[in-house]
Amino acid sequence: MYTELLANIAILVLSGFVGFAVISKVPNTLHTPLMSGTNAIHGIVVLGALVTLGRVENPSVLIQVILFVALIFGTLNVIGGFVVTDRMLGMFKPKKDNAAPAKVGAER
Amino acid sequence: MNNLVNILYIVAFSMFIYGLMGLTGPKTAVRGNQIAAVGMGIAVVATLIAIRDTSQWILIALGLIVGVALGVPPAKYTKMTAMPQLVALFNGVGGGTVALIAWAEFLDTSGFSQFHHGEEPTVHIIVGSLFAAIIGSISFWGSLIAFGKLQEILPGRPIGLGRAQQPVNLLLLVGAVASAVVIGLRASDGGAAAWWIGALLICAGVLGLAVVLPIGGADMPVVISLLNALTGLSAAAAGLALNNTAMIVAGMIVGASGTILTNLMAKAMNRSIPAIVAGGFGGGGGAVASTGDGEQKQAKSTSAADAAIQMAYANQVIVVPGYGMAVAQAQHAVKEMASLLENKGVEVKYAIHPVAGRMPGHMNVLLAEAEVSYDAMKEMDDINGEFGRTDVALIIGANDVTNPSAREDSSSPIYGMPVLNVDQARSVIVLKRSMNSGFAGIDNPLFYADHTSMLFGDAKKSVGAVTEELKAL
């Protein structure tokens, strides 16, 4: 009955506190990459699209279209989010081995 | 098999948390992000295992492929200066996903009245889905507007209804919530008609547009962060509805951290979040301080040659970058100029205001791209004491973050906002395109000070010209 729901709500509340605890220590300078990183993590919504699309039975075309777009959006969020964050953070590497971004910059 | 899926979810969200912890330091950040990405991969694989008996494999495979194909090119090749709007865009589609899932769920269960898998109780499914639909929709449309404004497809200035804005927004919110209530009440009674969910999504969507459109460019970083937090919350709500622990944990962590980030940013700008949501700077019209209308103040202009000489013979130069540097893509030119100065024995530091550019850390990312060392970039509190000992402060396309009125003039709209104490340097050189005021639309007395000289022009060209002069010295 409600045990599962209550367990989930407990997880929800605890996660909120974890979020507060982890983030409050980030230096100003990393805020943009951090925003981008958390942005990538809420790409977890792609799981919702997968689960919903995965278990509908005999869906109408409309439902299929909606969920197909949802899946694309979710994937975009995940992939785009992580790649962008990785690129931003790559800029902070102390060594000059990150030749690719430097080159891109030099072309301009 | 279900246990395996749940174990994988636990592994996945542990990696999210561990990855986020890594993001708190410059040295561990890259690895932290990669750990989180691997966690995401595990979560997706686990979900694919969970739905292995599905009849929709073709659509699922196609959706994943199309998503990757559309996501990678812009993420990889967009210029660093355009990162804020890209983050806004990726945030928006996440919110869109949640809203679309809720819509599909509504249709599939005939308005949450007929569940196919014997779910019981259903109250959290209904409440979670409807909450996710409202917030997700606001986030999607709001983020699109933020993207449009930063990409300069839409004008950056506030666009709104003025006085009518608040009641209209409230009406839209009431409309969305009322639709949700009707859907909820009819769920046990055969289900609400499909247009109710349409009304909900439209009200919430228009609300998203109506809230973000009147917000000025200066407040955009805070707005993106706020929308990011909202998308996280909607993801958590959807996770509750779908009984998916990975979504609950990840969504809630983002919701919580996004709220903190938003707060930090708003504080750095001396703005309160309600005030930002209520309308942008100057949204009321005419209220913005126009100090000293009668007496025309004169700013001194200087030449690249003079600026070069001034800096070449300084002991210490502090560079204050702002949005103008980002727009002009001047970071590489700045680095080249700084190297020349350093070869002449001048100490060069960079003073980074927390909200310089359009996002906290925006300047750091750009300067790091130009291979300026992490240690040379100083945060505001660390460097503010040093301006008094500095010969030349070189301001490149920054304005409001250097405005001394924030310290001195209690009638100024930005009074109380922490600023860089640039005016305490022995001399100040300002690189700027024109005398136009900054995003906040406020006059900056720094520009008229006796020890300030202005070098007008595109930041990149000006810095280039100074560099040429330095080479010639």
Side-chain angles (χ1 to χ4, degrees):
Chain A
M1 283 294 281
Y2 283 92
T3 36
E4 199 176 64
L5 176 57
L6 286 175
N8 280 341
I9 290 175
I11 293 172
L12 183 81
V13 172
L14 291 176
S15 309
F17 282 102
V18 171
F20 281 122
V22 172
I23 296 312
S24 50
K25 281 178 279 182
V26 180
N28 264 346
T29 46
L30 283 174
H31 277 169
T32 297
L34 176 74
M35 188 200 287
S36 179
T38 53
N39 175 42
I41 289 176
H42 72 51
I44 194 80
V45 294
V46 74
L47 300 197
L50 285 172
V51 169
T52 321
L53 185 53
R55 63 170 196 204
V56 285
E57 285 148 18
N58 315 315
S60 67
V61 176
L62 177 61
I63 292 179
Q64 276 183 321
V65 171
I66 294 172
L67 288 175
F68 183 62
V69 175
L71 181 56
I72 292 174
F73 276 5
T75 314
L76 260 176
N77 187 177
V78 172
I79 296 290
F82 281 115
V83 173
V84 163
T85 313
D86 192 59
R87 254 185 79 199
M88 278 191 211
L89 292 170
M91 305 292 169
F92 285 105
K93 272 185 193 158
K95 283 172 212 149
K96 291 193 173 180
D97 58 4
N98 52 346
K103 237 187 254 161
V104 172
E107 281 162 12
R108 293 194 191 102
Chain B
M1 269 324 233
N2 263 341
N3 284 339
L4 173 68
V5 171
N6 280 324
I7 290 167
L8 288 177
Y9 278 168
I10 294 170
V11 173
F13 69 64
S14 306
M15 290 176 86
F16 293 152
I17 296 170
Y18 189 66
L20 266 185
M21 282 160 70
L23 275 167
T24 55
K27 290 196 182 95
T28 50
V30 175
R31 211 187 37 175
N33 183 53
Q34 284 162 357
I35 289 171
V38 172
M40 188 63 76
I42 292 173
V44 169
V45 169
T47 310
L48 291 176
I49 294 173
I51 57 167
R52 62 198 175 280
D53 299 327
T54 178
S55 55
Q56 307 291 326
W57 272 119
I58 299 169
L59 267 190
I60 287 172
L62 206 61
L64 289 172
I65 291 167
V66 173
V68 172
L70 287 179
V72 172
K76 267 206 142 36
Y77 301 111
T78 303
K79 286 180 290 185
M80 268 296 147
T81 37
M83 281 298 142
Q85 49 265 51
L86 202 59
V87 174
L89 191 63
F90 287 137
N91 174 55
V93 291
T97 308
V98 178
L100 289 171
I101 294 170
W103 186 14
E105 191 91 323
F106 176 95
L107 294 176
D108 189 44
T109 58
S110 315
F112 302 113
S113 63
Q114 294 159 23
F115 288 91
H116 305 300
H117 304 275
E119 288 94 336
E120 177 64 37
T122 56
V123 57
H124 64 285
I125 301 179
I126 299 168
V127 174
S129 295
L130 293 175
F131 179 83
I134 294 175
I135 303 292
S137 193
I138 291 174
S139 178
F140 178 69
W141 293 105
S143 297
L144 284 191
I145 296 295
F147 170 80
K149 285 199 170 208
L150 290 171
Q151 190 70 34
E152 283 163 17
I153 299 168
L154 295 166
R157 67 185 161 75
I159 309 165
L161 303 170
R163 224 165 281 257
Q165 191 75 51
Q166 293 307 329
V168 168
N169 287 1
L170 194 67
L171 210 66
L172 288 166
L173 182 65
V174 169
V177 173
S179 312
V181 170
V182 170
I183 293 169
L185 290 179
R186 297 226 182 131
S188 55
D189 190 22
W195 63 266
W196 280 106
I197 189 88
L200 181 149
L201 290 172
I202 290 169
C203 278
V206 177
L207 179 60
L209 300 178
V211 167
V212 180
L213 267 175
I215 297 176
D219 287 333
M220 233 8 111
V222 185
V223 173
I224 296 176
S225 178
L226 187 65
L227 293 171
N228 187 39
L230 285 180
T231 310
L233 285 180
S234 69
L240 216 49
L242 295 167
N243 187 22
N244 185 309
T245 41
M247 283 176 76
I248 296 174
V249 174
M252 197 59 212
I253 288 176
V254 176
S257 66
T259 310
I260 291 191
L261 251 185
T262 312
N263 229 327
L264 285 176
M265 285 186 211
K267 248 186 218 156
M269 301 170 82
N270 195 36
R271 306 274 285 141
S272 77
I273 295 167
I276 289 169
V277 176
F281 266 123
V288 177
S290 49
T291 43
D293 267 322
E295 11 150 358
Q296 266 298 334
K297 285 170 291 184
Q298 282 295 317
K300 279 195 309 257
S301 71
T302 185
S303 68
D306 286 341
I309 291 168
Q310 234 180 328
M311 285 193 284
Y313 295 105
N315 286 318
Q316 174 160 295
V317 171
I318 296 182
V319 176
V320 182
Y323 186 66
M325 185 190 82
V327 173
Q329 288 273 325
Q331 61 270 29
H332 294 282
V334 170
K335 167 68 180 167
E336 195 191 347
M337 182 193 72
S339 304
L340 278 170
L341 285 172
E342 276 159 357
N343 288 342
K344 292 181 188 293
V346 181
E347 187 152 3
V348 182
K349 289 174 181 165
Y350 300 83
I352 317 278
H353 190 277
V355 292
R358 285 189 176 172
M359 275 193 180
H362 193 187
M363 291 298 121
N364 303 75
V365 171
L366 291 178
L367 290 173
E369 184 197 358
E371 295 181 2
V372 171
S373 85
Y374 193 78
D375 297 327
M377 302 178 212
K378 305 289 185 192
E379 289 190 20
M380 180 169 62
D381 293 336
D382 297 333
I383 200 150
N384 252 349
E386 283 205 36
F387 280 106
R389 279 178 273 128
T390 300
D391 302 293
V392 181
L394 180 69
I395 302 176
I396 306 175
N399 186 350
D400 296 327
V401 298
T402 65
N403 194 336
S405 327
R407 270 196 334 261
E408 294 152 3
D409 179 5
S410 60
S411 69
S412 168
I414 57 167
Y415 180 69
M417 170 173 135
V419 289
L420 291 162
N421 299 331
V422 174
D423 53 322
Q424 292 169 0
R426 268 166 227 140
S427 61
V428 180
I429 302 172
V430 181
L431 269 50
K432 212 173 171 310
R433 272 180 297 193
S434 67
M435 281 308 285
N436 289 343
S437 49
F439 269 125
I442 303 159
D443 215 12
N444 191 342
L446 176 72
F447 299 157
Y448 310 106
D450 288 337
H451 62 306
T452 303
S453 45
M454 311 287 293
L455 182 53
F456 291 111
D458 173 79
K460 191 176 185 178
K461 286 193 189 117
S462 296
V463 173
V466 173
T467 307
E468 289 309 312
E469 295 292 339
L470 280 173
K471 279 183 189 155
L473 277 177

